[in-house]
Amino acid sequence: MGRVALWSKSGAFKKLEDLRRAKRIGIANPAHAPYGRAAREVLEKAGLWAGLAPKVVLAESVRQAMQFAETGNVDAVLTSWSLVHERGGILVGGPELRQTAALMESVRAEGKK
């Protein structure tokens, strides 16, 4: 199960309320990304979305949102726990996201026509 986490390169953002001090906050686009929807839900539940929405920078994915934070283009990011749990990320709750994976067998085209 996937969970939403908060991370900042500076380590200055330790809880959701700290995001009020941020100039820019990265999240995946809620229009098509499950983690973006979950991040927005977390902020709405905390009563922070309305005040923070103008600071939100939308990424195409949680990975891209994380890249925004790693490069300093946003002050903090709400992303997947799996991307930040070993980097000092803070678990912030929200819905658990069901994730699936598939292992694809490598296909060789050696000499086949």
Side-chain angles (χ1 to χ4, degrees):
M1 293 292 188
R3 296 177 287 178
V4 177
L6 170 65
W7 185 82
S8 63
K9 186 175 182 178
S10 68
F13 300 89
K14 300 289 185 189
K15 55 187 180 200
L16 289 175
E17 293 76 18
D18 292 344
L19 292 174
R20 290 183 176 122
R21 294 185 283 109
K23 292 181 182 170
R24 292 177 309 274
I25 303 158
I27 70 169
N29 190 332
H32 61 261
Y35 277 98
R37 285 190 295 276
R40 181 177 177 156
E41 184 178 317
V42 164
L43 293 173
E44 286 173 341
K45 188 174 181 180
L48 298 169
W49 178 254
L52 296 180
K55 300 177 178 190
V56 170
V57 177
L58 299 179
E60 291 301 308
S61 65
V62 290
R63 185 65 203 122
Q64 186 181 41
M66 185 66 187
Q67 199 170 27
F68 290 169
E70 290 170 331
T71 58
N73 288 305
V74 298
D75 301 309
V77 63
L78 288 170
T79 188
S80 69
W81 175 243
S82 64
L83 290 177
V84 298
H85 75 279
E86 292 182 357
R87 300 179 68 180
I90 310 295
L91 194 58
V92 295
E96 288 189 353
L97 301 169
R98 182 174 294 278
Q99 298 175 306
T100 58
L103 180 59
M104 304 298 289
E105 183 177 341
S106 179
V107 178
R108 291 188 197 172
E110 295 176 14
K112 297 182 180 179
K113 293 188 179 194

XYZ file of all heavy atoms in Angstrom:
855
model
N 0.832 -1.184 0.000
C 0.000 0.000 0.000
C 0.875 1.246 0.000
O 1.824 1.340 0.763
C -0.891 0.033 1.238
C -1.944 -1.042 1.273
S -3.155 -0.720 -0.008
C -4.346 -1.928 0.410
N 0.529 2.189 -0.832
C 1.257 3.444 -0.901
C 0.691 4.464 0.073
O -0.503 4.473 0.354
N 1.568 5.301 0.596
C 1.148 6.343 1.533
C 1.816 7.656 1.171
O 2.869 7.679 0.547
C 1.502 5.930 2.959
C 0.737 4.670 3.386
C 1.116 4.219 4.750
N 2.447 3.623 4.686
C 3.103 3.151 5.730
N 2.567 3.208 6.911
N 4.298 2.623 5.598
N 1.210 8.759 1.590
C 1.709 10.097 1.272
C 2.701 10.549 2.336
O 2.477 10.363 3.537
C 0.541 11.105 1.170
C 1.057 12.509 0.910
C -0.430 10.679 0.083
N 3.782 11.175 1.872
C 4.819 11.664 2.774
C 5.245 13.073 2.370
O 5.081 13.494 1.229
C 6.026 10.730 2.738
N 5.804 13.763 3.332
C 6.339 15.108 3.157
C 7.859 15.018 3.158
O 8.437 14.315 3.994
C 5.858 15.989 4.318
C 6.465 17.370 4.488
C 6.104 18.264 3.305
C 5.972 17.985 5.794
N 8.505 15.739 2.240
C 9.958 15.761 2.201
C 10.432 17.109 1.711
O 9.784 17.743 0.870
C 10.495 14.680 1.266
C 11.983 14.571 1.273
C 12.756 13.907 2.188
C 12.904 15.150 0.335
N 14.089 14.031 1.866
C 14.210 14.797 0.741
C 12.739 15.934 -0.796
C 15.349 15.192 0.043
C 13.870 16.348 -1.492
C 15.154 15.965 -1.074
N 11.556 17.566 2.259
C 12.195 18.777 1.759
C 13.700 18.570 1.765
O 14.239 17.906 2.657
C 11.816 19.992 2.602
O 12.276 19.853 3.929
N 14.347 19.114 0.795
C 15.804 18.991 0.684
C 16.484 19.603 1.898
O 17.459 19.064 2.409
C 16.269 19.672 -0.605
C 17.723 19.509 -0.912
C 18.038 20.128 -2.261
C 19.488 19.926 -2.616
N 19.788 20.491 -3.946
N 15.934 20.710 2.396
C 16.521 21.404 3.541
C 16.225 20.720 4.867
O 16.912 20.957 5.852
C 15.984 22.836 3.606
O 14.598 22.818 3.941
N 15.187 19.900 4.898
C 14.755 19.283 6.146
C 13.994 20.240 7.046
O 13.691 19.914 8.191
N 13.662 21.411 6.538
C 13.003 22.451 7.338
C 11.504 22.231 7.517
O 10.888 22.885 8.345
C 13.239 23.818 6.696
N 10.931 21.321 6.750
C 9.488 21.093 6.807
C 9.239 19.730 7.447
O 9.457 18.702 6.834
C 8.887 21.188 5.408
C 9.105 22.540 4.785
C 10.248 22.810 4.041
C 8.190 23.557 4.986
C 10.469 24.062 3.492
C 8.399 24.819 4.445
C 9.538 25.073 3.703
N 8.790 19.746 8.692
C 8.640 18.520 9.478
C 7.189 18.092 9.667
O 6.920 16.974 10.070
C 9.276 18.703 10.864
C 10.755 19.024 10.817
C 11.546 17.828 10.398
C 13.032 18.110 10.476
N 13.822 17.070 9.890
N 6.254 19.004 9.414
C 4.825 18.692 9.549
C 4.052 19.531 8.543
O 4.571 20.518 8.005
C 4.343 18.916 10.977
C 4.611 20.294 11.495
C 4.278 20.406 12.956
C 4.595 21.835 13.377
N 4.782 22.042 14.740
N 2.834 19.136 8.283
C 2.033 19.810 7.263
C 1.912 21.307 7.507
O 1.990 22.105 6.575
C 0.639 19.182 7.174
C 0.569 17.785 6.574
C -0.847 17.241 6.675
C 1.050 17.793 5.131
N 1.749 21.704 8.761
C 1.574 23.118 9.086
C 2.800 23.945 8.680
O 2.684 25.136 8.403
C 1.283 23.292 10.578
C -0.051 22.729 11.008
C -0.081 21.193 11.134
O 0.997 20.559 11.215
O -1.179 20.642 11.118
N 3.963 23.317 8.639
C 5.179 24.013 8.219
C 5.099 24.482 6.771
O 5.812 25.403 6.367
C 6.410 23.115 8.380
C 6.744 22.817 9.830
O 6.239 23.525 10.728
O 7.513 21.863 10.062
N 4.223 23.855 5.977
C 4.092 24.227 4.570
C 3.596 25.658 4.397
O 3.765 26.247 3.327
C 3.169 23.244 3.840
C 3.729 21.834 3.683
C 2.677 20.912 3.076
C 4.997 21.834 2.840
N 3.016 26.237 5.431
C 2.585 27.634 5.352
C 3.776 28.556 5.072
O 3.616 29.624 4.496
C 1.896 28.043 6.650
C 0.560 27.391 6.857
C -0.088 27.905 8.150
N -1.415 27.350 8.301
C -1.805 26.638 9.352
N -0.966 26.399 10.348
N -3.026 26.176 9.419
N 4.971 28.152 5.485
C 6.187 28.947 5.276
C 6.796 28.744 3.891
O 7.686 29.489 3.481
C 7.250 28.585 6.318
C 6.892 28.936 7.724
C 8.039 28.660 8.693
N 8.180 27.232 9.004
C 9.166 26.444 8.592
N 10.135 26.908 7.851
N 9.196 25.160 8.927
N 6.347 27.740 3.170
C 6.921 27.425 1.860
C 6.493 28.454 0.813
O 5.388 28.990 0.873
C 6.477 26.031 1.418
N 7.382 28.686 -0.130
C 7.035 29.537 -1.278
C 6.398 28.699 -2.371
O 5.484 29.142 -3.052
C 8.279 30.241 -1.814
C 8.818 31.271 -0.848
C 10.028 31.954 -1.421
C 10.560 32.947 -0.395
N 11.854 33.469 -0.768
N 6.921 27.457 -2.539
C 6.392 26.539 -3.554
C 6.359 25.122 -2.985
O 7.303 24.701 -2.325
C 7.262 26.583 -4.807
C 7.179 27.903 -5.558
C 8.104 27.942 -6.756
N 9.479 27.568 -6.462
C 10.417 28.395 -6.014
N 10.141 29.646 -5.803
N 11.640 27.967 -5.783
N 5.280 24.397 -3.306
C 5.078 23.034 -2.815
C 4.778 22.143 -4.018
O 3.874 22.448 -4.802
C 3.893 22.975 -1.833
C 4.113 23.942 -0.671
C 3.652 21.548 -1.345
C 2.831 24.353 0.028
N 5.504 21.070 -4.168
C 5.285 20.168 -5.285
C 4.355 19.022 -4.932
O 4.469 18.438 -3.856
N 3.433 18.749 -5.839
C 2.602 17.544 -5.753
C 2.353 17.048 -7.177
O 2.448 17.816 -8.136
C 1.240 17.756 -5.028
C 0.273 18.624 -5.844
C 1.430 18.331 -3.636
C -1.157 18.631 -5.297
N 2.034 15.776 -7.307
C 1.624 15.239 -8.600
C 0.248 15.816 -8.937
O -0.534 16.145 -8.044
C 1.576 13.719 -8.544
N -0.037 15.950 -10.195
C -1.300 16.546 -10.647
C -2.501 15.702 -10.213
O -2.645 14.565 -10.654
C -1.280 16.689 -12.169
C -2.422 17.507 -12.691
O -3.477 17.571 -12.093
N -2.202 18.133 -13.829
N -3.370 16.266 -9.357
C -4.534 15.504 -8.883
C -5.510 15.106 -9.987
O -6.303 14.195 -9.809
C -5.224 16.460 -7.897
C -4.201 17.469 -7.539
C -3.278 17.568 -8.723
N -5.427 15.770 -11.133
C -6.343 15.452 -12.238
C -6.090 14.064 -12.806
O -7.014 13.446 -13.353
C -6.215 16.500 -13.341
N -4.859 13.552 -12.667
C -4.587 12.228 -13.237
C -3.654 11.351 -12.404
O -3.404 10.209 -12.770
C -4.031 12.360 -14.661
C -2.746 13.110 -14.744
N -2.707 14.422 -15.096
C -1.469 12.747 -14.506
C -1.458 14.836 -15.077
N -0.688 13.841 -14.713
N -3.133 11.869 -11.306
C -2.185 11.087 -10.506
C -2.782 10.732 -9.138
O -3.186 11.633 -8.396
C -0.892 11.866 -10.320
N -2.847 9.464 -8.810
C -3.413 9.064 -7.512
C -2.742 9.728 -6.314
O -3.411 10.132 -5.367
C -3.216 7.547 -7.481
C -3.123 7.143 -8.917
C -2.470 8.298 -9.614
N -1.413 9.867 -6.354
C -0.733 10.516 -5.230
C -1.043 12.009 -5.171
O -1.038 12.603 -4.102
C 0.778 10.278 -5.287
C 1.172 8.954 -4.704
C 1.401 7.857 -5.514
C 1.283 8.789 -3.331
C 1.755 6.631 -4.973
C 1.630 7.562 -2.781
C 1.864 6.494 -3.604
O 2.202 5.277 -3.063
N -1.320 12.614 -6.301
C -1.736 14.011 -6.313
C -3.097 14.185 -5.664
O -3.311 15.104 -4.862
N -4.021 13.282 -5.992
C -5.351 13.320 -5.352
C -5.221 13.106 -3.850
O -5.860 13.784 -3.049
C -6.280 12.268 -5.972
C -6.801 12.652 -7.335
C -7.896 11.725 -7.831
N -7.439 10.362 -8.065
C -6.851 9.945 -9.187
N -6.630 10.785 -10.176
N -6.487 8.692 -9.326
N -4.380 12.155 -3.473
C -4.188 11.864 -2.048
C -3.530 13.048 -1.327
O -3.915 13.387 -0.207
C -3.348 10.602 -1.877
N -2.564 13.690 -1.964
C -1.900 14.850 -1.354
C -2.898 15.975 -1.133
O -2.936 16.595 -0.067
C -0.750 15.324 -2.235
N -3.717 16.223 -2.124
C -4.741 17.272 -1.985
C -5.710 16.913 -0.858
O -6.069 17.761 -0.040
C -5.493 17.461 -3.297
C -6.535 18.547 -3.195
C -7.242 18.792 -4.501
N -8.277 19.792 -4.289
C -8.765 20.542 -5.227
N -8.323 20.435 -6.470
N -9.702 21.419 -4.954
N -6.105 15.655 -0.789
C -7.010 15.198 0.272
C -6.388 15.396 1.655
O -7.067 15.836 2.583
C -7.357 13.722 0.050
C -8.363 13.174 1.034
C -8.712 11.725 0.748
O -8.915 11.375 -0.436
O -8.789 10.940 1.713
N -5.103 15.103 1.784
C -4.398 15.287 3.054
C -4.442 16.765 3.462
O -4.727 17.102 4.608
C -2.940 14.782 2.954
C -2.088 15.307 4.089
C -2.902 13.265 2.913
N -4.155 17.644 2.501
C -4.154 19.077 2.798
C -5.558 19.601 3.092
O -5.736 20.450 3.964
C -3.517 19.856 1.647
C -2.022 19.609 1.443
C -1.526 20.297 0.175
C -1.230 20.062 2.659
N -6.552 19.089 2.379
C -7.938 19.493 2.645
C -8.367 19.062 4.039
O -8.950 19.845 4.791
C -8.882 18.909 1.598
C -8.782 19.584 0.254
C -9.600 18.898 -0.830
O -9.968 17.709 -0.670
O -9.855 19.552 -1.857
N -8.063 17.827 4.391
C -8.438 17.302 5.709
C -7.780 18.091 6.836
O -8.359 18.286 7.901
C -8.069 15.819 5.806
C -8.590 15.143 7.040
C -8.323 13.649 7.011
C -8.880 12.999 8.260
N -8.647 11.564 8.268
N -6.563 18.585 6.585
C -5.839 19.374 7.580
C -6.285 20.840 7.580
O -5.796 21.630 8.380
C -4.335 19.286 7.324
N -7.197 21.197 6.668
C -7.669 22.572 6.574
C -6.652 23.521 5.966
O -6.728 24.736 6.181
N -5.722 22.990 5.171
C -4.640 23.794 4.618
C -4.745 24.057 3.117
O -4.060 24.946 2.600
C -3.288 23.119 4.898
C -2.904 22.953 6.362
C -1.689 22.051 6.485
C -2.649 24.311 6.989
N -5.564 23.297 2.416
C -5.579 23.375 0.957
C -5.875 24.789 0.448
O -5.159 25.305 -0.417
C -6.560 22.375 0.347
C -6.614 22.488 -1.142
C -7.607 23.040 -1.888
C -5.609 22.074 -2.079
N -7.285 22.992 -3.226
C -6.069 22.403 -3.361
C -4.373 21.466 -1.948
C -5.332 22.138 -4.521
C -3.638 21.199 -3.100
C -4.125 21.534 -4.363
N -6.897 25.430 0.942
C -7.295 26.751 0.429
C -6.143 27.751 0.524
O -5.886 28.496 -0.424
C -8.520 27.263 1.174
N -5.430 27.765 1.624
C -4.325 28.695 1.801
C -3.076 28.327 1.032
O -2.295 29.195 0.640
N -2.883 27.031 0.794
C -1.663 26.572 0.121
C -1.812 26.404 -1.388
O -0.810 26.376 -2.103
C -1.196 25.248 0.726
C -0.772 25.281 2.194
C -0.346 23.886 2.647
C 0.338 26.285 2.429
N -3.027 26.303 -1.882
C -3.255 26.039 -3.309
C -2.482 26.984 -4.229
O -1.929 26.530 -5.240
C -4.748 26.061 -3.618
N -2.395 28.292 -3.928
C -1.624 29.174 -4.821
C -0.121 28.862 -4.857
O 0.568 29.275 -5.777
C -1.857 30.569 -4.233
C -3.093 30.461 -3.419
C -3.101 29.050 -2.896
N 0.378 28.138 -3.886
C 1.794 27.789 -3.811
C 2.106 26.446 -4.465
O 3.265 26.080 -4.600
C 2.239 27.710 -2.349
C 2.062 28.992 -1.571
C 2.472 28.768 -0.133
C 2.353 30.028 0.683
N 2.964 29.881 2.000
N 1.086 25.711 -4.832
C 1.262 24.352 -5.338
C 1.747 24.379 -6.788
O 1.189 25.065 -7.638
C -0.042 23.548 -5.214
C 0.049 22.226 -5.959
C -0.362 23.304 -3.748
N 2.806 23.613 -7.022
C 3.353 23.402 -8.361
C 3.016 21.966 -8.746
O 3.397 21.027 -8.043
C 4.883 23.612 -8.376
C 5.453 23.315 -9.753
C 5.230 25.024 -7.925
N 2.278 21.811 -9.845
C 1.839 20.479 -10.263
C 2.872 19.796 -11.142
O 3.389 20.379 -12.095
C 0.510 20.572 -11.015
C -0.662 21.143 -10.228
C -1.899 21.197 -11.108
C -0.929 20.332 -8.974
N 3.139 18.555 -10.818
C 4.042 17.713 -11.603
C 3.216 16.644 -12.308
O 2.072 16.392 -11.940
C 5.068 17.067 -10.678
N 3.789 16.006 -13.280
C 3.093 14.937 -13.990
C 3.017 13.649 -13.188
O 2.143 12.829 -13.425
C 3.775 14.666 -15.338
C 3.603 15.806 -16.326
C 2.137 16.106 -16.616
O 1.393 15.168 -16.961
O 1.742 17.276 -16.494
N 3.934 13.482 -12.222
C 3.985 12.252 -11.436
C 4.641 12.542 -10.089
O 5.216 13.617 -9.895
C 4.814 11.194 -12.165
O 6.170 11.626 -12.252
N 4.575 11.575 -9.169
C 5.263 11.754 -7.885
C 6.763 11.824 -8.097
O 7.452 12.549 -7.385
C 4.926 10.648 -6.851
C 3.511 10.782 -6.366
C 5.212 9.269 -7.383
N 7.264 11.101 -9.050
C 8.705 11.136 -9.334
C 9.134 12.521 -9.796
O 10.162 13.034 -9.388
C 9.064 10.060 -10.372
C 10.530 9.956 -10.618
C 11.282 9.482 -9.358
N 12.649 9.888 -9.443
C 13.281 10.659 -8.558
N 12.689 11.083 -7.485
N 14.514 10.998 -8.738
N 8.348 13.125 -10.685
C 8.684 14.468 -11.149
C 8.542 15.488 -10.016
O 9.369 16.386 -9.881
C 7.820 14.886 -12.335
C 8.257 16.220 -12.918
C 7.406 16.680 -14.069
O 6.191 16.551 -14.042
N 8.056 17.234 -15.090
N 7.522 15.332 -9.176
C 7.360 16.224 -8.018
C 8.585 16.110 -7.113
O 9.107 17.119 -6.614
C 6.085 15.888 -7.253
N 9.066 14.904 -6.922
C 10.256 14.681 -6.114
C 11.469 15.356 -6.749
O 12.293 15.960 -6.063
C 10.481 13.176 -5.958
C 11.596 12.798 -5.053
S 11.234 13.287 -3.359
C 12.774 12.908 -2.594
N 11.559 15.291 -8.053
C 12.659 15.926 -8.777
C 12.632 17.443 -8.564
O 13.675 18.070 -8.412
C 12.542 15.583 -10.260
C 13.782 15.759 -11.054
C 13.621 15.170 -12.440
O 12.512 15.083 -12.982
N 14.719 14.751 -13.027
N 11.433 18.033 -8.550
C 11.307 19.472 -8.278
C 11.925 19.808 -6.920
O 12.599 20.817 -6.769
C 9.844 19.906 -8.272
C 9.148 19.887 -9.609
C 7.774 20.050 -9.672
C 9.829 19.702 -10.806
C 7.100 20.049 -10.879
C 9.163 19.692 -12.025
C 7.789 19.867 -12.062
N 11.682 18.955 -5.926
C 12.217 19.201 -4.577
C 13.725 18.952 -4.526
O 14.456 19.707 -3.894
C 11.490 18.328 -3.558
N 14.176 17.916 -5.173
C 15.610 17.592 -5.172
C 16.441 18.704 -5.807
O 17.568 18.962 -5.390
C 15.855 16.277 -5.922
C 15.350 15.067 -5.201
C 15.391 13.806 -6.049
O 15.272 13.882 -7.290
O 15.532 12.730 -5.456
N 15.890 19.363 -6.808
C 16.614 20.417 -7.515
C 16.396 21.800 -6.904
O 16.977 22.773 -7.367
C 16.200 20.456 -8.995
O 14.786 20.678 -9.076
C 16.582 19.174 -9.718
N 15.544 21.875 -5.884
C 15.288 23.159 -5.231
C 14.261 24.021 -5.930
O 14.085 25.186 -5.581
N 13.555 23.467 -6.905
C 12.524 24.233 -7.606
C 11.248 24.374 -6.788
O 10.422 25.224 -7.094
C 12.236 23.612 -8.972
C 13.385 23.851 -9.925
O 13.791 24.987 -10.144
N 13.956 22.787 -10.458
N 11.076 23.536 -5.783
C 10.029 23.707 -4.775
C 10.694 23.531 -3.415
O 11.735 22.898 -3.292
C 8.844 22.717 -4.946
C 8.137 22.909 -6.285
C 9.277 21.272 -4.764
N 10.084 24.128 -2.401
C 10.647 24.053 -1.054
C 10.380 22.709 -0.390
O 11.171 22.244 0.427
C 10.062 25.165 -0.181
C 10.359 26.536 -0.761
O 11.535 26.799 -1.068
O 9.415 27.326 -0.916
N 9.245 22.112 -0.736
C 8.848 20.833 -0.138
C 7.957 20.101 -1.126
O 7.418 20.698 -2.059
C 8.106 21.071 1.175
N 7.802 18.813 -0.875
C 6.997 17.987 -1.769
C 6.134 17.032 -0.946
O 6.549 16.559 0.112
C 7.916 17.202 -2.744
C 8.818 16.240 -2.006
C 7.124 16.473 -3.809
N 4.938 16.784 -1.442
C 4.103 15.694 -0.937
C 4.176 14.618 -2.007
O 3.760 14.820 -3.150
C 2.662 16.157 -0.709
C 2.483 17.085 0.477
C 1.077 17.687 0.484
C 2.750 16.370 1.782
N 4.738 13.495 -1.648
C 5.037 12.456 -2.617
C 4.780 11.089 -1.990
O 4.182 10.997 -0.925
C 6.499 12.609 -3.110
O 6.734 11.721 -4.194
C 7.503 12.387 -2.011
N 5.235 10.054 -2.625
C 5.011 8.710 -2.081
C 6.040 8.393 -0.996
O 7.214 8.774 -1.093
C 5.086 7.661 -3.189
O 6.394 7.529 -3.661
N 5.586 7.709 0.015
C 6.443 7.278 1.122
C 7.619 6.465 0.606
O 8.736 6.571 1.088
C 5.590 6.509 2.117
C 6.324 5.897 3.269
C 6.423 4.578 3.556
C 7.040 6.579 4.303
N 7.162 4.400 4.708
C 7.545 5.616 5.188
C 7.297 7.920 4.569
C 8.298 5.930 6.304
C 8.051 8.243 5.686
C 8.541 7.258 6.544
N 7.382 5.647 -0.405
C 8.451 4.787 -0.919
C 9.627 5.587 -1.479
O 10.752 5.113 -1.476
C 7.910 3.831 -1.981
O 7.442 4.552 -3.108
N 9.388 6.810 -1.934
C 10.473 7.637 -2.473
C 11.285 8.342 -1.391
O 12.410 8.764 -1.651
C 9.916 8.690 -3.441
C 9.379 8.178 -4.763
C 8.791 9.333 -5.571
C 10.457 7.470 -5.564
N 10.714 8.504 -0.194
C 11.394 9.335 0.816
C 11.599 8.680 2.174
O 12.202 9.276 3.056
C 10.663 10.688 1.003
C 10.673 11.486 -0.285
C 9.254 10.496 1.537
N 11.129 7.459 2.366
C 11.220 6.861 3.707
C 12.660 6.675 4.185
O 12.925 6.716 5.375
C 10.423 5.553 3.797
C 11.061 4.382 3.141
N 10.980 4.170 1.785
C 11.791 3.377 3.654
C 11.634 3.066 1.495
N 12.139 2.562 2.603
N 13.592 6.518 3.278
C 14.998 6.367 3.664
C 15.767 7.681 3.554
O 16.979 7.697 3.734
C 15.662 5.288 2.806
C 15.123 3.904 3.094
C 15.804 2.822 2.285
O 16.671 3.141 1.443
O 15.469 1.645 2.491
N 15.040 8.771 3.289
C 15.687 10.070 3.099
C 15.186 11.106 4.104
O 15.307 12.301 3.862
C 15.417 10.563 1.682
C 15.960 9.617 0.619
C 15.661 10.106 -0.752
N 16.432 11.319 -0.996
C 16.375 11.996 -2.126
N 15.593 11.605 -3.098
N 17.087 13.084 -2.281
N 14.588 10.628 5.192
C 14.102 11.565 6.198
C 12.709 12.079 5.945
O 12.299 13.089 6.515
N 11.950 11.402 5.102
C 10.575 11.806 4.825
C 9.686 11.652 6.051
O 9.993 10.880 6.957
N 8.613 12.391 6.068
C 7.660 12.375 7.167
C 6.335 11.819 6.648
O 5.740 12.377 5.721
C 7.412 13.807 7.714
C 8.722 14.541 7.994
C 6.481 13.773 8.909
C 9.573 13.960 9.069
N 5.878 10.738 7.213
C 4.603 10.145 6.833
C 3.482 11.066 7.295
O 3.429 11.454 8.464
C 4.472 8.766 7.475
C 3.385 7.849 6.961
C 3.534 7.575 5.478
C 3.426 6.537 7.732
N 2.589 11.475 6.382
C 1.544 12.438 6.738
C 0.134 11.868 6.686
O -0.827 12.579 6.942
C 1.625 13.723 5.885
C 2.905 14.467 6.169
C 1.471 13.423 4.409
N 0.002 10.611 6.357
C -1.313 9.990 6.390
C -2.018 10.029 5.049
O -1.398 9.940 4.016
N -3.324 10.192 5.118
C -4.127 10.154 3.908
C -4.529 8.746 3.565
O -4.222 7.796 4.294
N -5.191 8.592 2.444
C -5.656 7.257 2.046
C -4.482 6.368 1.658
O -3.477 6.848 1.135
C -6.540 7.546 0.836
C -5.993 8.809 0.262
C -5.517 9.609 1.449
N -4.603 5.086 1.940
C -3.593 4.145 1.466
C -3.903 3.833 0.012
O -5.044 3.525 -0.329
C -3.599 2.875 2.313
C -3.042 3.092 3.695
C -2.852 1.788 4.454
O -3.277 0.727 3.967
O -2.266 1.860 5.543
N -2.908 3.941 -0.816
C -3.097 3.734 -2.246
C -2.657 2.335 -2.623
O -1.540 1.927 -2.329
C -2.297 4.774 -3.036
C -2.674 6.222 -2.723
C -1.665 7.173 -3.336
C -4.058 6.517 -3.222
N -3.546 1.629 -3.265
C -3.225 0.281 -3.735
C -2.354 0.407 -4.970
O -2.670 1.109 -5.902
C -4.500 -0.489 -4.071
C -4.245 -1.912 -4.525
C -5.537 -2.675 -4.713
N -6.246 -2.888 -3.466
C -5.975 -3.864 -2.598
N -4.982 -4.681 -2.838
N -6.684 -4.015 -1.517
N -1.224 -0.277 -4.924
C -0.290 -0.249 -6.037
C -0.124 -1.658 -6.586
O -0.149 -2.621 -5.840
C 1.063 0.284 -5.584
C 0.993 1.703 -5.071
C 2.324 2.161 -4.519
O 2.900 1.521 -3.667
N 2.800 3.273 -5.025
N 0.065 -1.728 -7.875
C 0.314 -3.020 -8.502
C 1.588 -2.926 -9.327
O 2.001 -1.849 -9.741
C -0.855 -3.441 -9.415
O -1.046 -2.442 -10.413
C -2.126 -3.628 -8.626
N 2.175 -4.053 -9.562
C 3.380 -4.116 -10.381
C 3.314 -5.372 -11.227
O 2.630 -6.339 -10.883
C 4.620 -4.145 -9.504
N 4.016 -5.341 -12.316
C 4.094 -6.507 -13.184
C 5.538 -6.704 -13.587
O 6.255 -5.747 -13.870
C 3.228 -6.307 -14.423
N 5.956 -7.934 -13.608
C 7.296 -8.270 -14.049
C 7.183 -8.811 -15.461
O 6.500 -9.815 -15.696
C 7.920 -9.310 -13.107
C 9.322 -9.763 -13.439
C 10.280 -8.583 -13.442
C 9.774 -10.806 -12.432
N 7.820 -8.139 -16.386
C 7.726 -8.533 -17.784
C 8.928 -9.405 -18.141
O 10.062 -9.089 -17.796
C 7.719 -7.288 -18.681
C 6.617 -6.304 -18.329
S 4.962 -6.954 -18.511
C 4.842 -7.033 -20.275
N 8.659 -10.486 -18.814
C 9.743 -11.346 -19.267
C 10.425 -10.687 -20.452
O 9.775 -10.148 -21.343
C 9.191 -12.706 -19.689
C 10.266 -13.677 -20.092
C 9.700 -15.040 -20.447
O 8.581 -15.341 -20.052
O 10.411 -15.775 -21.132
N 11.729 -10.702 -20.442
C 12.493 -10.113 -21.531
C 12.279 -10.934 -22.804
O 12.290 -12.160 -22.778
C 13.972 -10.095 -21.161
O 14.711 -9.544 -22.215
N 12.069 -10.265 -23.908
C 11.835 -10.938 -25.187
C 13.060 -10.711 -26.077
O 13.483 -9.577 -26.285
C 10.578 -10.384 -25.884
C 10.366 -11.046 -27.231
C 9.370 -10.570 -24.977
N 13.592 -11.783 -26.587
C 14.735 -11.688 -27.496
C 14.255 -11.840 -28.928
O 13.421 -12.657 -29.240
C 15.748 -12.785 -27.206
C 16.435 -12.606 -25.908
C 17.537 -13.604 -25.815
N 17.952 -13.714 -24.429
C 18.789 -14.607 -24.013
N 19.281 -15.496 -24.823
N 19.138 -14.647 -22.746
N 14.892 -11.055 -29.786
C 14.557 -11.123 -31.210
C 15.749 -11.621 -32.012
O 15.903 -11.300 -33.164
C 14.134 -9.743 -31.704
N 16.588 -12.425 -31.398
C 17.796 -12.918 -32.045
C 17.451 -13.876 -33.189
O 16.953 -14.964 -32.946
C 18.700 -13.625 -31.038
C 19.232 -12.712 -29.977
C 20.036 -13.483 -28.945
O 20.399 -14.643 -29.189
O 20.269 -12.910 -27.877
N 17.724 -13.452 -34.388
C 17.570 -14.321 -35.533
C 16.127 -14.715 -35.849
O 15.917 -15.572 -36.683
N 15.153 -14.137 -35.217
C 13.759 -14.485 -35.488
C 13.151 -13.444 -36.422
O 13.317 -12.262 -36.227
C 12.948 -14.589 -34.202
C 13.440 -15.684 -33.308
C 12.590 -15.785 -32.066
C 13.088 -16.893 -31.184
N 12.327 -17.023 -29.968
N 12.417 -13.921 -37.398
C 11.738 -13.011 -38.349
C 10.296 -13.351 -38.454
O 9.842 -14.392 -38.318
C 12.409 -13.081 -39.703
C 13.812 -12.528 -39.647
C 14.365 -12.446 -41.041
C 15.750 -11.875 -40.955
N 16.288 -11.451 -42.184
